[in-house]
Amino acid sequence: MRPGSLRQAQWHAHVNAVNAPPTLRHWLTGGGSLTAKLKAHSQAFRVQCLHQETARCLSDEAAIIGLHRAGRVWEREVLLRCDDRPAVFGHTVVPMQATATDWPLFSALGERSLGTTLFGDRMVRRGTLEFARLRAGHPLVQRAQAALAREGQRASDKALFFARRCLYQRHQGLLLVTEVFLPAVFELTRTVATDTLIINKA
């Protein structure tokens, strides 16, 4: 595999194409707000904002947000934490030409959930989900790994990370959200399965 290919993802329209573990498909494909699902499967949920600033978009993001090549965007990166453990690394980009009318709350989100805002706004149109397996060389994996390392956690350099992304539109403004699922999600899934088994046996 060419070194440069590690920095780009192949995005697919169907989850079967990424061969995700069965315990993760539930998180990748579920409809509705991921924030709401994480809240339902943890005792305490919070958004940790890592940064929100201008940056250069990734090469595999440019076309979907209407850019001819990678350029400057507004970027927001967060950790979605369940019971104080990072479960999802969230990455959002908004083209610089988007206006405050397009996304009136984006600049003032702080540590509020973007997902709650998107799903609570009837003017927002949601695109279809795309799925990918991200290797260690992909920038989002490197950033997620760095965030985990700051907490004393580290996944194997050979580990694959599964991700999904979705394009949203409000007025003429586009917004792309990518969610990278971290190892803690597997424990949340196992907890859900155990709870279901107990209910079924009762």
Side-chain angles (χ1 to χ4, degrees):
M1 181 176 293
R2 293 179 293 106
S5 66
L6 295 175
R7 297 184 57 82
Q8 296 193 40
Q10 294 294 320
W11 290 93
H12 304 276
H14 199 286
V15 70
N16 286 349
V18 300
N19 196 27
T23 51
L24 191 59
R25 288 173 63 99
H26 150 72
W27 293 100
L28 286 168
T29 60
S33 167
L34 178 62
T35 295
K37 184 181 290 189
L38 291 170
K39 284 181 177 179
H41 297 100
S42 59
Q43 306 233 346
F45 170 86
R46 74 179 179 93
V47 177
Q48 177 188 353
C49 183
L50 301 175
H51 71 255
Q52 184 163 330
E53 59 195 14
T54 60
R56 189 177 183 84
C57 75
L58 304 181
S59 56
D60 52 13
E61 294 176 327
I64 194 172
I65 58 173
L67 302 181
H68 296 296
R69 56 183 177 272
R72 303 296 290 181
V73 294
W74 291 105
E75 177 184 85
R76 171 179 165 88
E77 292 186 337
V78 303
L79 289 175
L80 305 183
R81 306 182 70 100
C82 293
D83 301 324
D84 209 33
R85 298 187 63 193
V88 177
F89 175 79
H91 168 83
T92 302
V93 293
V94 179
M96 297 294 290
Q97 62 265 32
T99 68
T101 301
D102 294 327
W103 302 108
L105 300 178
F106 183 75
S107 63
L109 276 173
E111 299 209 329
R112 287 181 293 170
S113 165
L114 173 62
T116 300
T117 302
L118 293 174
F119 281 88
D121 188 338
R122 294 183 179 180
M123 298 184 69
V124 173
R125 286 181 287 169
R126 186 182 191 224
T128 57
L129 287 171
E130 294 184 317
F131 310 92
R133 290 184 297 179
L134 306 182
R135 298 181 181 275
H138 193 278
L140 294 188
V141 170
Q142 294 175 341
R143 297 178 199 180
Q145 290 272 44
L148 292 176
R150 288 192 288 271
E151 305 198 10
Q153 303 179 39
R154 182 166 180 81
S156 167
D157 289 337
K158 296 182 180 180
L160 288 174
F161 285 76
F162 292 86
R164 70 179 194 179
R165 72 181 185 182
C166 188
L167 186 69
Y168 296 84
Q169 183 170 355
R170 189 179 189 278
H171 296 309
Q172 299 304 309
L174 300 176
L175 180 150
L176 180 66
V177 178
T178 303
E179 295 151 338
V180 181
F181 293 83
L182 305 178
V185 165
F186 287 93
E187 296 187 16
L188 292 175
T189 304
R190 284 199 296 270
T191 300
V192 173
T194 301
D195 291 344
T196 303
L197 182 62
I198 292 172
I199 292 170
N200 288 340
K201 285 186 175 180

